[in-house]
Amino acid sequence: EQLKIEENKLRDIERELGSLKKDETSMERSIRTAQKTIDAEKDRLTVLRDELNAVSEVIADNTRILSSMKPGTEKDEKALFLKDLELKKKRTVRSIAASENKISKAEETIEKAKHNIPEISDDQADTQDRIAVQESVVQRYTDKLNIIKEYR
């Protein structure tokens, strides 16, 4: 009966080790995923910033043209065109902020995981030591049980 108790303790410690290894693998995976996110968002930022610069130039050019136009349908159409450009610029600015936010969150994820992985590795080493100790306890009880069986 004591042997079963000790074997159960050993299984529990082994499960704990498996859980720690799973956590470490998960953190390593999250680092890779976060790095991919950072790379993709940096590429996206480049495109968005280029788009923002282009839209800003078109807005500036069309604002100058609009100011020199005579009132009428053409001026009204140009004003609507400018309004659409301003909306596009606003959406682009929001998209840039969103990408920067994603990059920031991904960097935080990486830092957190890099901080936690060594702790998990230490916990794994401690758990492996506990497993070795518990295996010796189980072996002792197994040996005692075998000796008792021999005398019966």
Side-chain angles (χ1 to χ4, degrees):
E1 189 177 313
Q2 186 65 34
L3 176 60
K4 288 209 182 294
I5 291 171
E6 297 302 327
E7 286 174 337
N8 287 338
K9 286 180 186 178
L10 178 59
R11 269 193 295 277
D12 290 344
I13 297 170
E14 287 171 340
R15 270 191 231 113
E16 184 181 332
L17 178 62
S19 176
L20 288 168
K21 286 181 179 181
K22 184 178 171 186
D23 289 348
E24 182 178 35
T25 302
S26 174
M27 286 189 190
E28 288 168 348
R29 195 177 314 115
S30 71
I31 287 173
R32 287 190 301 273
T33 301
Q35 190 57 54
K36 286 179 185 176
T37 298
I38 289 170
D39 294 342
E41 290 302 320
K42 282 184 177 180
D43 290 344
R44 185 169 181 253
L45 272 174
T46 301
V47 171
L48 288 170
R49 286 185 176 131
D50 289 345
E51 182 180 319
L52 180 62
N53 289 336
V55 169
S56 295
E57 285 178 25
V58 172
I59 287 173
D61 292 343
N62 280 284
T63 301
R64 280 191 297 278
I65 293 170
L66 182 69
S67 66
S68 65
M69 290 177 82
K70 294 179 181 169
T73 309
E74 220 174 281
K75 186 171 185 173
D76 294 343
E77 288 174 2
K78 185 63 80 175
L80 280 175
F81 177 69
L82 265 173
K83 189 174 181 182
D84 287 343
L85 285 175
E86 291 290 346
L87 286 173
K88 184 174 183 170
K89 180 179 178 180
K90 188 181 265 187
R91 281 192 296 271
T92 303
V93 168
R94 273 194 234 121
S95 294
I96 288 171
S99 283
E100 289 171 341
N101 194 24
K102 284 182 185 178
I103 289 171
S104 176
K105 285 182 180 179
E107 287 171 343
E108 287 174 19
T109 298
I110 290 171
E111 282 305 310
K112 189 174 179 182
K114 282 183 176 179
H115 176 265
N116 289 339
I117 286 175
E119 290 176 6
I120 289 176
S121 294
D122 291 346
D123 290 348
Q124 284 180 15
D126 293 345
T127 303
Q128 286 171 332
D129 291 345
R130 288 177 37 220
I131 287 173
V133 168
Q134 190 61 30
E135 283 173 339
S136 69
V137 170
V138 168
Q139 188 59 49
R140 242 181 304 143
Y141 278 104
T142 303
D143 293 345
K144 283 182 183 179
L145 184 63
N146 290 336
I147 290 171
I148 291 171
K149 283 181 181 178
E150 287 177 15
Y151 283 114
R152 285 187 179 167

